[in-house]
Structures are given as C-alpha cells and as structure tokens.
Amino acid sequence: MRDRRAPSLSGLDGWLQSPPRSLAQHRGRVVLVWFFSLSAPGCTAMVPGLRALWEEHRGDLDVIGVHAPDYAEDADPQRIALGIARAGVPWPVAMDHRRTVFTRWHGDRSRQGWPSTHVVDQRGRVVAIHDGDDVAAIRTTVEALLAT
C-alpha cells in the first residue's frame, strides 16, 4: 500500500471544521491522513503530538482527520464535533461512518493498530503508513520528507 498514488477522499459522510477537501488542494505539501475513532483512547492521546508537529511545519504539512467509528453511537456528528473539540483537534475532520474511505485507503491489509496515519508526500503518493500512536515515528517520516 506504500509508494502509490493516494486514494481519493470521496464518499465521505460530511466534514467538520472545513468545507469538503480533496488531496489536490494539498499538492506540494506533506499530508497526514489520520484515521481515528474517538472511542479508541490511543487516538485522542496522540493529538497533542500531532498538533505540535503540525504547528512546527504549518504551511508545509497538513493534517486531515478521518473519523471511522468503531460503534454506531460514535457516528453522531454532534458527538464527533464535541469529541474533537475536547481533544483539541484543529484540522479538518471527515466523517466516514460507512468506512468507505477507510476501506479504500487500507485495502485488504489487516489493521495493525488504531489509529492509522498515512503519510502522503508532496507529489500525492502514500510513502508511509504508521499504525498506532507513535507520533515520534510519524515525525521522523515527515521531517525526512520535508528535508528533501
């Protein structure tokens, strides 16, 4: 799944904190497509680290959250909006209640951890996938891309 053109973000169930986005709008910047669920504690625990990385590299790095809920009750847009506000998520968040985008991005690869952060390079290619909440590993990947 690595080193391939990033799949589209079409087929989502709505957006919070932004009008609908496409990856073409982010061309020339590194993009983290952060798949998460508010019911997974590791997801919200990584927000401060992702936010610090995003703030340090603002203008060169964008983050798009894709909320793919584990449970039906986690698909309520008001509940998601409240949860991302509590967690301090400042970037756009897409709602993927049916996991349409999640499936397109993950393919048949088994989920190794939750959350899953896909790193898209400046040319629109997925160059790394980080499963789990290791923001230090994500930082290493991002900073290597930005140094090229």
Side-chain angles (χ1 to χ4, degrees), residues 77-130:
Q78 290 180 333
R79 186 174 177 160
I80 298 166
L82 181 60
I84 62 175
R86 280 190 191 137
V89 174
W91 46 78
V93 172
M95 296 177 290
D96 190 19
H97 302 157
R98 295 165 289 144
R99 291 184 172 235
T100 303
V101 172
F102 179 93
T103 302
R104 186 180 308 130
W105 280 69
H106 289 84
D108 60 359
R109 121 185 139 78
S110 64
R111 191 169 82 189
Q112 300 298 312
W114 196 247
S116 175
T117 305
H118 296 236
V119 182
V120 179
D121 71 8
Q122 297 92 328
R123 297 173 298 134
R125 300 190 63 77
V126 176
V127 295
I129 301 170
H130 294 277

Side-chain angles (χ1 to χ4, degrees), residues 131-147:
D131 289 317
D133 59 1
D134 186 356
V135 176
I138 296 167
R139 173 180 289 279
T140 299
T141 302
V142 166
E143 291 180 345
L145 283 170
L146 293 175

Side-chain angles (χ1 to χ4, degrees):
M1 299 295 291
R2 291 173 177 84
D3 200 27
R4 62 173 167 85
R5 173 109 0 242
S8 78
L9 296 173
S10 64
L12 291 160
D13 299 296
W15 287 82
L16 298 169
Q17 306 186 148
S18 171
R21 318 267 326 148
S22 73
L23 286 174
Q25 294 172 270
H26 301 272
R27 193 64 44 109
R29 294 185 296 270
V30 174
V31 181
L32 301 180
V33 181
W34 175 58
F35 290 90
F36 73 105
S37 174
L38 288 170
S39 61
C43 294
T44 53
M46 71 186 295
V47 170
L50 281 179
R51 186 177 185 144
L53 179 63
W54 174 70
E55 287 174 350
E56 285 174 43
H57 299 289
R58 193 175 283 186
D60 295 317
L61 171 67
D62 293 335
V63 180
I64 298 172
V66 179
H67 185 261
D70 284 324
Y71 307 103
E73 62 269 14
D74 290 338
D76 175 35
Q78 290 180 333
R79 186 174 177 160
I80 298 166
L82 181 60
I84 62 175
R86 280 190 191 137
V89 174
W91 46 78
V93 172
M95 296 177 290
D96 190 19
H97 302 157
R98 295 165 289 144
R99 291 184 172 235
T100 303
V101 172
F102 179 93
T103 302
R104 186 180 308 130
W105 280 69
H106 289 84
D108 60 359
R109 121 185 139 78
S110 64
R111 191 169 82 189
Q112 300 298 312
W114 196 247
S116 175
T117 305
H118 296 236
V119 182
V120 179
D121 71 8
Q122 297 92 328
R123 297 173 298 134
R125 300 190 63 77
V126 176
V127 295
I129 301 170
H130 294 277
D131 289 317
D133 59 1
D134 186 356
V135 176
I138 296 167
R139 173 180 289 279
T140 299
T141 302
V142 166
E143 291 180 345
L145 283 170
L146 293 175
T148 59

